[in-house]
């Protein structure tokens, strides 16, 4: 019997058709590389210099209203523009380009500058889920918007420009690369398996021994996917087959807010520090077609490896060959499962900056 917890092997990611190399035998590799500075924990509730706080001025002279819960606005530095002429370039099928229309939005989760998702009240997160849903429906219904990407960068090492709790929404004409790969895989699986859903089937297998489950609530399951490439990568999946946010009922949305709070709290507690990540939804396209094979989900891709200040780099072999990890996804799931759901900042523990 091959021991997958001990020896090198490759795992297949059926959602995007990629492999990850798992090397559990080299777990205790010494580290003399980059050490992140842990950011100070002592920001105030309101920062007059923050362009996302209520009442402050943004770039370009716009002033934020004195908002009380969520606040959404058009990104002042949008990567996409809604009104554009059509442009096409194709030279011998090798030099190819197309004009791209779209809209970029910024969503502030809360007027309070120094809170993260983990520290918001579940009721506040419910409001965020409501706003995501409204934005998804409104942007998705525009005729030139075929995909709505909701994502959050948290932490300076993930490129987040401001600790004020916020996310972004980029909505555009083309289906971007990652969702498009998932789209193809789920569609192909559905056709090849008499109309069964790839992720419903995956959840059924994972539910048998739950070794990669982190936790579950009434409507959502948080797990480390079998093919996780980031050390503590997780996925949040609705138990019920739902293509996108617009299909979720009230109880499923409440349950999602609960799951988001619990997962982000576990992350912060893992190294007793604000846990950086890129988080985002993958949902069915909004191109007006039927996408019954789509099972929505949320990915969390956190870069931390073994402490608040040692991160994993996706370089070298990862850039040139395929992604690789040392400790197994089962091991990561076990560690996340064992962690408390009471936030460390509320229990009086101090940050650990050490390795
Ligand atoms: P990130 O921290 O995830 O990059 O998000 C902040 C976004 O806020 C970023 O996309 C926008 C930036 O363009 N922004 C404004 O729209 N107005 C501002 O005054 C500053 C930043
Ligand atoms: Zn702020």
């Amino acid at each position: 019997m091959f021991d997958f917890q001990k020896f090198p092997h490759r795992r297949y990611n059926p959602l995007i058709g990629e492999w990850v190399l798992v090397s559990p035998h080299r777990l205790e590799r010494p580290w003399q590389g980059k050490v992140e500075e842990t950011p100070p924990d002592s920001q105030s509730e309101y920062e007059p210099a923050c362009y996302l706080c209520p009442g402050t001025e943004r770039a370009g002279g716009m002033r934020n209203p004195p908002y009380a819960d969520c606040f959404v606005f058009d990104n002042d530095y949008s990567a996409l523009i809604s009104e554009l002429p059509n442009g096409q370039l194709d030279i011998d099928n090798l030099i190819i380009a197309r004009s791209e229309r779209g809209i970029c939005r910024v969503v502030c989760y809360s007027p309070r500058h120094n809170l993260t998702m983990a520290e918001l009240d579940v009721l506040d997160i419910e409001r965020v889920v409501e706003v995501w849903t409204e934005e998804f429906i409104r942007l998705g219904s525009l005729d030139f918007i075929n995909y709505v990407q909701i994502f959050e960068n948290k932490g300076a090492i993930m490129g987040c420009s401001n600790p004020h709790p916020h996310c972004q929404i980029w909505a555009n004409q083309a289906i971007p690369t990652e969702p498009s790969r998932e789209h193809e895989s789920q569609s192909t699986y559905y056709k090849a398996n008499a109309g069964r859903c790839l992720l419903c089937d995956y959840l059924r297998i994972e539910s048998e021994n739950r070794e990669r489950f982190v936790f579950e609530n009434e409507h959502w399951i948080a797990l480390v996917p079998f093919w996780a490439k980031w050390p503590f990568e997780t996925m949040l999946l609705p138990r019920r087959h739902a293509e996108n946010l617009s299909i979720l009922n009230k109880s499923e949305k409440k349950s999602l807010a609960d799951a988001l709070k619990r997962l982000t709290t576990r992350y912060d507690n893992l190294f007793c520090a604000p846990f950086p990540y890129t988080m985002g939804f993958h949902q069915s396209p909004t191109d007006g077609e039927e996408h019954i094979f789509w099972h929505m989900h949320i990915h969390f891709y956190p870069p931390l490896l073994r402490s608040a200040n040692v991160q994993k780099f996706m370089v070298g072999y990862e850039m040139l060959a395929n992604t690789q990890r040392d400790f197994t996804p089962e091991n990561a799931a076990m560690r996340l499962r064992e962690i408390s759901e009471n936030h460390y900042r509320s229990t009086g523990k101090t940050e650990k900056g050490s390795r």
Side-chain angles (χ1 to χ4, degrees):
M1 268 287 277
F2 186 87
D3 189 344
F4 288 94
Q5 296 306 318
K6 262 196 179 151
F7 302 116
H9 59 277
R10 298 169 88 212
R11 295 190 184 195
Y12 183 66
N13 179 343
L15 259 186
I16 52 172
E18 261 186 24
W19 292 86
V20 52
L21 176 65
V22 186
S23 319
H25 63 294
R26 66 169 208 168
L27 249 185
E28 289 312 317
R29 188 161 68 109
W31 180 263
Q32 298 187 327
K34 187 176 176 206
V35 172
E36 287 297 328
E37 270 187 31
T38 313
D41 226 358
S42 56
Q43 297 250 332
S44 57
E45 241 177 67
Y46 171 73
E47 288 284 334
C50 167
Y51 55 78
L52 299 178
C53 273
T56 61
E57 192 174 301
R58 297 203 311 273
M62 299 285 281
R63 190 168 286 282
N64 296 325
Y67 64 96
D69 45 40
C70 266
F71 168 55
V72 194
F73 62 93
D74 279 338
N75 197 313
D76 300 307
Y77 302 96
S78 278
L80 295 154
I81 296 173
S82 54
E83 296 305 328
L84 272 187
N86 256 329
Q88 287 236 30
L89 180 68
D90 189 334
I91 305 174
D92 297 340
N93 277 328
L94 290 175
I95 307 285
I96 300 170
R98 309 227 189 299
S99 54
E100 184 65 23
R101 294 170 69 192
I103 296 173
C104 297
R105 308 269 285 160
V106 178
V107 183
C108 298
Y109 294 165
S110 157
R112 292 193 44 190
H113 182 83
N114 59 348
L115 291 186
T116 62
M117 180 86 84
E119 292 165 291
L120 289 174
D121 290 336
V122 178
L123 280 178
D124 294 333
I125 305 177
E126 281 176 29
R127 177 72 196 125
V128 176
V129 174
E130 230 21 270
V131 167
W132 285 334
T133 309
E134 288 162 16
E135 289 290 312
F136 175 82
I137 293 171
R138 193 184 63 79
L139 292 165
S141 68
L142 298 173
D143 61 354
F144 65 98
I145 297 297
N146 296 316
Y147 196 79
V148 179
Q149 181 62 57
I150 301 171
F151 67 100
E152 176 187 347
N153 289 325
K154 180 167 167 269
I157 62 171
M158 293 312 277
C160 178
S161 59
N162 185 333
H164 195 114
H166 70 283
C167 77
Q168 298 195 47
I169 304 177
W170 293 19
N172 59 314
Q173 240 179 318
I175 305 176
T177 309
E178 284 287 309
S180 155
R181 283 170 159 185
E182 293 193 355
H183 184 85
E184 284 309 313
S185 303
Q186 291 179 95
S187 161
T188 306
Y189 187 94
Y190 184 84
K191 286 180 200 138
N193 293 281
R196 292 206 318 274
C197 159
L198 188 158
L199 286 174
C200 284
D201 280 1
Y202 175 62
L203 276 181
R204 206 169 304 125
I205 299 170
E206 288 290 9
S207 303
E208 274 165 23
N209 69 6
R210 291 173 156 74
E211 68 175 327
R212 281 172 293 273
F213 273 30
V214 178
F215 65 86
E216 52 191 313
N217 67 10
E218 193 184 352
H219 296 294
W220 293 78
I221 292 167
L223 53 77
V224 179
F226 177 73
W227 52 80
K229 55 183 162 190
W230 293 96
F232 293 99
E233 175 177 336
T234 55
M235 261 173 104
L236 267 180
L237 299 117
R239 292 177 194 277
R240 181 170 72 98
H241 181 82
E243 293 151 53
N244 58 55
L245 279 166
S246 77
I247 289 164
L248 300 184
N249 60 38
K250 216 175 161 66
S251 160
E252 285 166 325
K253 284 190 254 189
K254 271 168 123 47
S255 181
L256 171 57
D258 170 73
L260 286 165
K261 181 167 173 77
R262 291 168 64 182
L263 183 56
T264 51
T265 300
R266 283 172 187 263
Y267 273 151
D268 281 2
N269 286 347
L270 186 61
F271 301 127
C272 284
F275 202 79
Y277 55 71
T278 279
M279 166 284 249
F281 284 77
H282 279 150
Q283 312 188 67
S284 56
T286 56
D287 54 4
E289 305 288 321
E290 283 269 301
H291 300 301
I292 183 74
F293 50 86
W294 251 99
H295 194 126
M296 71 169 295
H297 52 272
I298 304 168
H299 293 284
F300 276 84
Y301 299 140
L304 292 186
L305 181 58
R306 61 167 75 168
S307 75
N309 45 28
V310 174
Q311 84 182 84
K312 176 183 173 67
F313 289 95
M314 289 281 189
V315 297
Y317 194 79
E318 273 98 355
M319 279 183 147
L320 290 160
N322 68 222
T323 52
Q324 185 272 344
R325 61 179 296 138
D326 290 351
F327 62 90
T328 62
E330 294 71 41
N331 192 289
M334 190 183 68
R335 290 175 63 186
L336 287 169
R337 233 183 353 255
E338 284 169 353
I339 283 167
S340 154
E341 288 183 351
N342 293 319
H343 198 271
Y344 75 95
R345 287 212 279 207
S346 67
T347 55
K349 258 202 230 166
T350 48
E351 260 176 54
K352 270 194 292 197
S354 68
R355 301 187 261 153

